[in-house]
């Protein structure tokens, strides 16, 4: 008999949620995490970034509230307190994850897990572990017995009927001359921990990470420049709304179609679209060109796991090429988003618990219905295809774009000139909704409704019959549906 029903390598969103679901179903689960419960997202990614952005938005709102009849004088911010708030949020949420795992009887071990083969994992335990209640790192005790037969050189071998790989991703650091050895070049983890707001910040990369940090530090007074290789920021966003988003980001200068060729101390050097060399001096340089799946260092190749250009190869039920070995989250390369990892973890858990029921209930990954969100100022979100993607897939496309000013709440809270719009993309023949892209306040909170529309394959005519609460920003989605030509 195996030691466990399931061993999970990685305690990020995909790993800890799969553990929660499996534990709730009565499975014997071992969760192996090398550093922090919650992974990158909770400790040095989504959550701390949003905590800092919340402070930035409050500061910005206080400074520009006169049009709403509210005047605040001598508005300042305390960066140390901003960082303390971020740390407190992370601590509380990590504690919540630990409590949930404990409630579902999941055993958590801190150490490095290596996949030996199907159902076999070697664990190099962390040298120091402390109780769940006394540290933000929340290291749990393991069931290790020194000198036990399966312990060789500090490595324990554990077996399970199933193994889930959830090792996540790491920042990409391109081989730009001078970037890897400059103390002024940081990744997102380093920028989250800065002791003061940099006077000048250059961001290399105009994706989600780059745009959010650019907006954050611009709000706190940094001079921010973003250098992006592509012709537009946020390449996954519909091009029309991506351009609107860029123009609406206050205090940020963008250099598009540019290739960074070097970093000289704090000076970033690039060639622009004409081939001319340009420079910008910075106190800090953020390398935000993306993340890559972490597919090495835990035994993938040695175990015979299939790894492709995007990451660990899985089918739509999260199965790998090895029997009873599953992979979820960033390591698959299917979608490097925390909520996508949640969904993948749920799918894998459902099939492990009851494959027949999971198949019958349609438990599979549908990447076209995974929403994305950007928490900049203003916010943006979307789900489904862009207009260009829909055309490339052979759809005869019809679209409608409406300003967020059609929403009474948006006008009441932003004014008629507040930035924002909703674009709806549909198939002109079948009238199926193919994509919804939003710019403006509450877009990330609203986009789930559009995701549900795509999940259930509603048409424009179906969407028109949905009753939206009034006044809400979400009503702009209904207005976009009615703006589609009949």
């Amino acid at each position: 008999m195996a030691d466990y029903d399931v061993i999970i390598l990685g305690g990020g969103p995909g790993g800890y949620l799969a553990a929660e679901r499996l534990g709730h179903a009565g499975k014997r689960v071992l969760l192996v995490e090398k550093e922090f419960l919650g992974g990158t997202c909770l400790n040095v990614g989504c959550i701390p970034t949003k905590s800092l952005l919340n402070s930035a938005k409050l500061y910005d709102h206080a400074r520009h509230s006169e049009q709403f009849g509210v005047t605040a004088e001598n508005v300042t911010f305390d960066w140390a307190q901003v960082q303390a708030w971020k740390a407190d949020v992370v601590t509380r949420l990590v504690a919540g994850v630990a409590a949930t795992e404990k409630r579902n009887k999941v055993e958590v071990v801190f150490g490095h897990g290596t996949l030996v083969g199907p159902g076999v994992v070697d664990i190099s335990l962390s040298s120091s572990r402390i109780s769940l209640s006394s540290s933000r790192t929340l290291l749990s005790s393991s069931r290790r017995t020194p000198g036990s037969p399966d312990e060789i050189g500090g490595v324990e071998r554990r077996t399970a009927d199933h193994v889930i790989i959830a090792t996540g991703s790491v920042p990409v650091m391109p081989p730009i001359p001078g970037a890897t050895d400059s103390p002024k070049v940081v990744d997102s983890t380093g920028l989250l921990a800065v002791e003061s707001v940099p006077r000048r910040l250059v961001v290399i990369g105009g994706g989600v990470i780059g745009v959010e940090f650019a907006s954050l530090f611009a709000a706190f007074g940094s001079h921010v420049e973003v250098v992006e290789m592509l012709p537009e920021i946020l390449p996954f966003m519909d091009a029309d709304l991506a351009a609107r988003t860029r123009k609406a980001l206050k205090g940020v200068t963008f250099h598009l179609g540019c290739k960074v060729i070097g970093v000289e101390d704090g000076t970033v050097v690039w060639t622009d679209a004409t081939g001319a060399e340009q420079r910008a001096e910075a106190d800090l340089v953020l390398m935000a060109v993306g993340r890559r799946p972490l597919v090495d260092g835990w035994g993938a190749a040695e175990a015979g796991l299939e790894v492709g250009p995007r990451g660990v190869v899985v089918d739509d039920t999260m199965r790998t090429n090895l029997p009873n070995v599953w992979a979820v989250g960033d390591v698959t390369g299917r979608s490097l988003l925390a909520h996508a990892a949640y969904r993948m973890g749920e799918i894998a858990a459902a099939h492990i618990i009851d494959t027949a029921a999971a198949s019958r209930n349609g438990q599979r990954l549908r990447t076209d219905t995974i929403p994305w969100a950007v928490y900049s100022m203003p916010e943006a979100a979307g789900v489904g295809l862009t207009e260009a993607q829909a055309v490339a897939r052979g759809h005869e496309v019809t679209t409608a774009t409406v300003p967020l000013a059609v929403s009474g709440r948006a006008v009441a809270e932003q004014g008629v000139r507040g930035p924002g719009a909703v674009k709806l993309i549909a198939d002109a023949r079948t009238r199926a909704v193919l994509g919804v892209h939003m710019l403006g306040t509450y877009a990330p909170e609203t986009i789930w409704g559009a995701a549900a529309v795509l999940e259930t394959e509603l048409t424009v005519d179906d969407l028109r019959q949905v009753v939206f609460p009034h006044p809400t920003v979400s009503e702009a989605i209904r207005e976009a549906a009615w703006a589609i030509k009949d």
Side-chain angles (χ1 to χ4, degrees), residues 12 16 24 30 46 53 84 86 92 94 120 127 131 139 144 154 175 181 194 313 328 350 387 411 447 466 473 485:
Y16 76 69
H24 182 75
L30 175 65
C46 325
L53 276 163
K86 176 201 74 176
R92 283 186 285 165
V94 172
V120 183
S127 58
S131 69
L139 305 184
R144 175 189 182 203
D181 53 5
V194 293
V313 177
V328 303
E387 181 177 356
V411 174
I447 201 63
V466 175
V473 172
K485 293 181 179 179

Side-chain angles (χ1 to χ4, degrees), residues 130-423:
I130 54 183
S131 69
L132 285 170
S133 61
S134 59
S135 171
R136 72 171 294 272
T137 58
L138 301 171
L139 305 184
S140 77
S141 60
S142 77
R143 297 193 305 188
R144 175 189 182 203
T145 302
S148 60
D150 59 356
E151 181 186 350
I152 303 174
V155 176
E156 293 184 0
R157 177 158 293 182
R158 291 289 180 257
T159 60
D161 296 328
H162 297 267
V163 176
I164 298 177
I165 306 299
T167 53
S169 63
V170 292
V172 172
M173 185 65 73
I176 297 173
T180 56
D181 53 5
S182 172
K184 292 187 177 181
V185 178
V186 297
D187 60 14
S188 56
T189 301
L191 192 55
L192 280 170
V194 293
E195 295 181 354
S196 61
V197 174
R199 187 169 63 88
R200 300 167 301 179
L201 175 67
V202 172
V203 178
I204 301 176
V208 174
I209 296 172
V211 167
E212 288 188 351
F213 275 108
S215 183
L216 162 66
F217 282 99
F220 279 128
S222 295
H223 174 80
V224 181
E225 298 185 60
V226 176
V227 185
E228 169 56 48
M229 184 172 63
L230 296 176
E232 189 54 86
I233 64 171
L234 305 175
F236 47 83
M237 191 177 191
D238 190 90
D240 294 341
L241 263 64
R244 295 191 189 204
T245 301
R246 171 172 49 81
K247 294 173 183 177
L249 290 165
K250 297 180 294 185
V252 183
T253 301
F254 291 93
H255 306 281
L256 304 178
C258 299
K259 181 181 179 180
V260 177
I261 59 176
V263 177
E264 301 170 0
D265 191 19
T267 301
V268 179
V269 186
W270 69 88
T271 54
D272 63 21
T274 69
E277 185 176 295
Q278 305 289 343
R279 293 170 173 261
E281 295 184 3
D283 299 295
L284 276 179
V285 177
L286 171 63
M287 190 66 71
V289 297
R291 298 180 65 86
R292 64 170 181 83
L294 181 58
V295 297
D296 47 13
W298 48 264
E302 295 80 359
L305 198 64
E306 183 181 359
V307 177
R310 295 169 61 185
V312 174
V313 177
V314 294
D315 65 12
D316 288 344
T317 64
M318 305 294 105
R319 288 181 172 89
T320 71
N321 64 304
L322 298 180
N324 291 342
V325 177
W326 314 70
V328 303
D330 288 9
V331 71
T332 69
R334 298 286 293 270
S335 174
L336 275 66
L337 297 169
H339 48 278
Y342 280 151
R343 181 66 188 132
M344 294 183 213
E346 289 178 331
I347 292 169
H351 282 272
I352 290 172
I353 294 166
D354 188 335
T355 297
S359 299
R360 193 166 56 248
N361 295 332
Q363 291 281 1
R364 61 182 180 85
L365 184 67
R366 294 177 285 275
T367 52
D368 281 348
T369 60
I370 297 173
W372 54 265
V374 183
Y375 298 85
S376 52
M377 292 177 275
E379 299 174 339
V383 63
L385 304 180
T386 65
E387 181 177 356
Q389 288 170 336
V391 170
R393 293 194 186 186
H395 291 279
E396 181 184 345
V397 173
T398 180
T399 71
T401 302
V402 298
L404 215 59
V406 299
S407 159
R409 185 178 185 189
V411 174
E413 296 191 5
Q414 298 181 52
V416 294
R417 293 183 177 82
V422 173
K423 181 172 182 177

